[in-house]
Amino acid sequence: MKAAVYKKPLRIEIEDREIPKCGGNDIIVKVHACGICGSDVRNYKNGLRADVGEQVMGHEFTGTVTEVGSKVTKYRPGDRIAAAPDVSCGECYYCKQGLVNLCNNHRMIGTHWPGGFAEYVHLPEVVLERGMIHHIPEGVSLNDAALSEPASSVIACQEDVNVSLGDTVVIFGTGPIGCLHTEIARARGAAKIILVGRRRLAMAEPFGADHLISVLDSDPVDEILKITAGFGADVAICANPAAETQNMAVESVRKRGKVVLFGGLPKTNPMTTLNSNTIHYKEISVMGSFSYKAEIHKKALLAIKRGQIHPEKYFTHTLPLERITEGFQIAQDGKSLKVLIKMEGA
């Protein structure tokens, strides 16, 4: 099989490898497609975790089961599956509280196990038991289901912050995550959605925000207050890795409004500055949002099936595995929303 192997920062090589062997409790999946995630781009530029060297990256993948172990009952050859990367331990405090996304021993497909940038992927017993591998609903294509992974984190965030009927929601970031937040907020009943970005505003327009604000052309806080008649938004979600938008979010919400720090900042510069008096006197809630539980991945697949999420609008570039380096460059340069890598014959 062909596999795209991460070697070092800015270097991925296509290798010929043996198709993985299937153990008694494992499955083998023929990969159909795998999306390039923002975290993939960061790893491509900066390197994987310190304890991980060469690896087949890719965690937003779909495919068809080709082989199952003798002890496996949940999957059969021919099943269509979508994968999410997180694998929890099931034993730590957070796992026992049902907060598997905060697992102290959190591991990921594409980092600790070979991922979806290959023609076949081996999913061992621990991934099947403690990970998030789900059957794709009838009527959802293998291409479309590849969006279920990034959509899951967005759904989990908006459930936690309780975006509700009639809310005004501000979303900072016009990349794919900002667009997903727009679609999910609309599906949850938000009455007014304001999308703020620096670039890709034209790409974000089809997702139906009520207002698009360019930070290059105006002061977003002033514009948001004008749109809301000085009241402020109910919820502001920072869906980009920019500290300055986090302070804008605090200044953009109403009294008792909610601010979500969704996009992580660079590890080399993770600090931010927020107006603590504004937070204090307006009783604003500031919360973080990271990953999701397994049940949310199922909800994402169903949201795609119901037409609440439109994957065809996100995959602006589709490339074969052999051109994966080009795909990373396109994703890095902000020339796309989502880049989809498809395997030979897919």
Side-chain angles (χ1 to χ4, degrees):
M1 71 171 189
K2 293 189 183 301
V5 184
Y6 173 88
K7 296 291 186 177
K8 63 180 183 179
L10 303 178
R11 183 178 171 188
I12 293 177
E13 296 181 2
I14 304 297
E15 295 183 355
D16 285 315
R17 292 187 167 189
E18 295 290 327
I19 296 175
K21 304 295 183 184
C22 186
N25 295 294
D26 313 337
I27 66 174
I28 303 296
V29 176
K30 181 175 175 57
V31 178
H32 177 86
C34 186
I36 295 179
C37 175
S39 63
D40 291 328
V41 175
R42 288 194 296 273
N43 290 338
Y44 174 68
K45 292 170 58 179
N46 303 319
L48 300 175
R49 290 167 48 116
D51 57 343
V52 178
E54 295 185 1
Q55 185 58 285
V56 178
M57 296 165 60
H59 58 263
E60 300 178 357
F61 68 89
T62 62
T64 303
V65 177
T66 58
E67 188 177 355
V68 301
S70 60
K71 299 178 183 178
V72 174
T73 59
K74 188 176 179 180
Y75 305 94
R76 297 180 180 179
D79 284 356
R80 302 182 315 137
I81 63 94
D86 301 57
V87 180
S88 58
C89 72
E91 299 297 330
C92 72
Y93 170 84
Y94 297 101
C95 284
K96 290 183 182 296
Q97 301 301 312
L99 302 171
V100 297
N101 57 309
L102 301 179
C103 172
N104 282 334
N105 306 298
H106 173 263
R107 292 180 289 173
M108 295 182 66
I109 299 172
T111 301
H112 300 91
W113 295 273
F117 293 136
E119 292 181 313
Y120 291 87
V121 64
H122 168 235
L123 300 178
E125 179 181 13
V126 64
V127 172
L128 299 182
E129 288 189 354
R130 303 300 316 170
M132 305 181 191
I133 310 299
H134 293 117
H135 292 88
I136 297 173
E138 196 69 33
V140 176
S141 73
L142 286 162
N143 280 2
D144 288 355
L147 194 66
S148 61
E149 195 285 321
S152 297
S153 58
V154 172
I155 293 170
C157 168
Q158 294 203 22
E159 285 196 358
D160 285 346
V161 77
N162 193 29
V163 171
S164 302
L165 193 69
D167 278 352
T168 294
V169 179
V170 175
I171 300 157
F172 291 90
T174 47
I177 296 300
C179 295
L180 279 165
H181 272 293
T182 300
E183 290 209 282
I184 296 302
R186 185 69 75 203
R188 292 180 62 86
K192 189 175 295 181
I193 300 172
I194 304 167
L195 193 56
V196 182
R198 183 179 301 275
R199 57 181 183 174
R200 294 190 283 195
L201 284 163
M203 290 186 186
E205 189 172 359
F207 294 91
D210 299 288
H211 301 273
L212 288 171
I213 298 173
S214 169
V215 299
L216 300 176
D217 299 331
S218 59
D219 182 320
V221 176
D222 287 346
E223 292 300 312
I224 292 163
L225 293 178
K226 287 178 185 176
I227 291 168
T228 60
F231 190 70
D234 299 289
V235 179
I237 299 171
C238 300
N240 59 358
E244 60 268 26
T245 62
Q246 297 177 354
N247 196 48
M248 290 179 190
V250 168
E251 302 299 332
S252 299
V253 295
R254 62 170 172 80
K255 294 177 181 179
R256 288 220 158 195
K258 302 173 185 176
V259 172
V260 187
L261 308 185
F262 184 93
L265 300 183
K267 291 182 180 180
T268 55
N269 189 23
M271 304 307 291
T272 192
T273 301
L274 304 179
N275 188 326
S276 63
N277 276 344
T278 300
I279 295 169
H280 171 67
Y281 288 110
K282 292 176 70 173
E283 295 190 352
I284 293 168
S285 298
V286 180
M287 61 177 284
S289 181
F290 168 73
S291 194
Y292 47 88
K293 297 177 282 189
E295 66 188 42
I296 302 294
H297 189 230
K298 291 182 180 179
K299 289 185 178 182
L301 288 165
L302 290 174
I304 293 170
K305 179 179 175 64
R306 290 192 293 260
Q308 294 167 311
I309 299 172
H310 299 84
E312 71 280 0
K313 295 182 180 180
Y314 292 84
F315 294 120
T316 52
H317 293 73
T318 301
L319 298 172
L321 185 65
E322 289 77 9
R323 294 171 61 189
I324 190 170
T325 299
E326 180 184 347
F328 270 89
Q329 192 61 52
I330 292 170
Q332 181 176 316
D333 292 345
K335 297 177 181 177
S336 67
L337 283 180
K338 291 288 291 181
V339 177
L340 189 67
I341 301 299
K342 293 184 72 172
M343 305 306 129
E344 184 177 356

